[in-house]
Amino acid sequence: MMERKRVLVVGGSGYVGQHLLQSLLTSEPRPYDLAFTHHTPINEISPFAFRVDLETGYGFSDISDAFGEPHVVVNCAALSVPRDCERNPSAAMDVNVPHYLVKWFTDFSEMPLLIHLSCDQVYEGVKSFYKEEDETVPVNEYGKSKVEAEQYISINCLNYVILRSSIIYGPQTVSPVPTYLPIQLIDTVLSKKTKVDFFYDEFRCPVYVKDVVSIILTLITKYFSEGRYMQLLLNVAGPDRVSRVQMAEAVASVRGYNSSLINPISASSVNRAVKTPADISMDISRLIQLLGITPTSFIDGVRLTLASF
């Protein structure tokens, strides 16, 4: 009898982690044995839930003992609030650079595929539609920790996919995450019907969370079907380059709010205590060509998100 494949989601209590787990657990028949790690308590949706400390490596050996050696590891865990990373850069490095995770599975009988979530803030932000081969010049501690993670993985792993994601948005999770969700936040402030400031000169390519999940699942299927090691770097973004003003206008359009509530201002007019790149929109040609996935348009993703609550 063929051995069941095992998938481990690191950071299963986070936003992407919960959406990924939900998708895997609702598939019938369930394709893989599934485990996840968590830092904060959530409703345990898998019998294999493990408390792990990424800064010390505590807990990884428990996974091997109880669950077995995973064939695929999806690392969704991160200290992802730039302001927090700026205040505590050493913690950002300890959490975001997966030293203990990689060291744990280098002694496995079979090297697992590591799918690691990086971000668009590895780019400097001085042009539009960055490609994967463009130089990484992070402007803040969060971006620096993500570049360090990418370099560590590429040197120490033989089998990996690094996904540089833009802002990830979509429905709330089963166990609500404590951080704000961008579309829900915009909807909340506009619903008060008072004028709100939004940046007109800061650009991103927000990506719908279920597209991120679809990309990860496609990579897992590809790996198991082809059986070959991967060494890939992919931009993961939506097809639309939008400013914060345009994001708010999309929410206002779907909800029927008066667009005069949106007050365009320059990002340079606000002191946010952390330097933020101006334009880190990304080219996703490689993603579309390799995986055949065309991400959801921003306006359609907003409609889907707002229809969920």
Side-chain angles (χ1 to χ4, degrees):
M1 185 175 178
M2 186 176 292
E3 181 186 25
R4 289 268 297 177
K5 299 297 185 182
R6 293 181 292 275
V7 174
L8 171 69
V9 178
V10 178
S13 56
Y15 184 66
V16 175
Q18 285 197 55
H19 277 286
L20 177 58
L21 286 170
Q22 196 66 30
S23 181
L24 285 166
L25 287 165
T26 54
S27 298
E28 291 295 343
R30 193 173 296 176
Y32 318 116
D33 289 339
L34 188 63
F36 69 95
T37 75
H38 60 95
H39 183 66
T40 55
I42 65 170
N43 297 326
E44 293 191 2
I45 52 179
S46 167
F48 291 110
F50 299 92
R51 180 70 180 244
V52 166
D53 188 330
L54 296 176
E55 295 185 69
T56 65
Y58 174 81
F60 280 120
S61 61
D62 294 338
I63 301 172
S64 307
D65 295 341
F67 179 65
E69 297 177 356
H71 300 95
V72 173
V73 177
V74 184
N75 184 23
C76 303
L79 187 60
S80 58
V81 179
R83 187 180 290 106
D84 293 344
C85 295
E86 213 67 23
R87 290 171 180 162
N88 195 343
S90 62
M93 287 291 179
D94 288 343
V95 173
N96 292 347
V97 183
H99 295 108
Y100 289 103
L101 173 63
V102 172
K103 288 176 183 176
W104 169 56
F105 62 62
T106 49
D107 292 329
F108 284 8
S109 57
E110 176 185 340
M111 175 66 71
L113 171 65
L114 173 62
I115 300 175
H116 175 82
L117 265 65
S118 187
C119 74
D120 53 3
Q121 294 213 26
V122 301
Y123 298 120
E124 187 175 9
V126 295
K127 68 169 193 169
S128 302
F129 296 111
Y130 280 88
K131 295 186 176 182
E132 290 88 347
E133 60 268 25
D134 285 329
E135 184 181 9
T136 54
V137 186
V139 301
N140 55 41
E141 294 297 332
Y142 176 51
K144 290 175 185 177
S145 70
K146 287 298 192 174
V147 169
E148 182 71 20
E150 291 185 6
Q151 293 173 343
Y152 181 81
I153 290 167
S154 64
I155 292 170
N156 292 281
C157 288
L158 297 173
N159 192 16
Y160 64 84
V161 179
I162 295 169
L163 303 177
R164 287 179 178 161
S165 78
S166 186
I167 295 171
I168 300 173
Y169 70 95
Q172 181 59 275
T173 47
V174 174
S175 292
V177 292
T179 55
Y180 78 86
L181 301 177
I183 303 306
Q184 289 85 337
L185 177 63
I186 294 171
D187 182 50
T188 297
V189 296
L190 290 179
S191 70
K192 295 176 182 176
K193 299 185 179 178
T194 56
K195 207 156 201 172
V196 186
D197 295 339
F198 292 94
F199 302 140
Y200 63 79
D201 54 357
E202 191 174 276
F203 297 91
R204 305 290 186 263
C205 290
V207 59
Y208 188 53
V209 67
K210 294 189 180 181
D211 289 337
V212 178
V213 169
S214 179
I215 289 163
I216 294 170
L217 296 179
T218 300
L219 286 165
I220 294 172
T221 300
K222 180 179 174 67
Y223 175 60
F224 285 147
S225 63
E226 296 179 0
R228 293 196 299 267
Y229 279 10
M230 298 185 187
Q231 293 182 349
L232 293 175
L233 172 62
L234 296 173
N235 286 339
V236 173
D240 302 307
R241 172 182 176 269
V242 292
S243 68
R244 306 286 181 168
V245 166
Q246 290 169 315
M247 291 174 67
E249 288 173 343
V251 173
S253 173
V254 172
R255 284 297 205 205
Y257 300 135
N258 191 328
S259 60
S260 66
L261 298 173
I262 300 165
N263 184 44
I265 65 169
S266 173
S268 63
S269 67
V270 177
N271 181 6
R272 288 182 284 176
V274 56
K275 189 173 181 181
T276 303
D279 187 346
I280 44 178
S281 54
M282 295 190 289
D283 183 300
I284 55 172
S285 300
R286 183 183 295 180
L287 173 76
I288 294 170
Q289 181 179 9
L290 182 67
L291 301 183
I293 292 174
T294 302
T296 306
S297 70
F298 184 66
I299 189 65
D300 286 343
V302 169
R303 289 191 184 101
L304 290 167
T305 300
L306 295 177
S308 68
F309 74 102

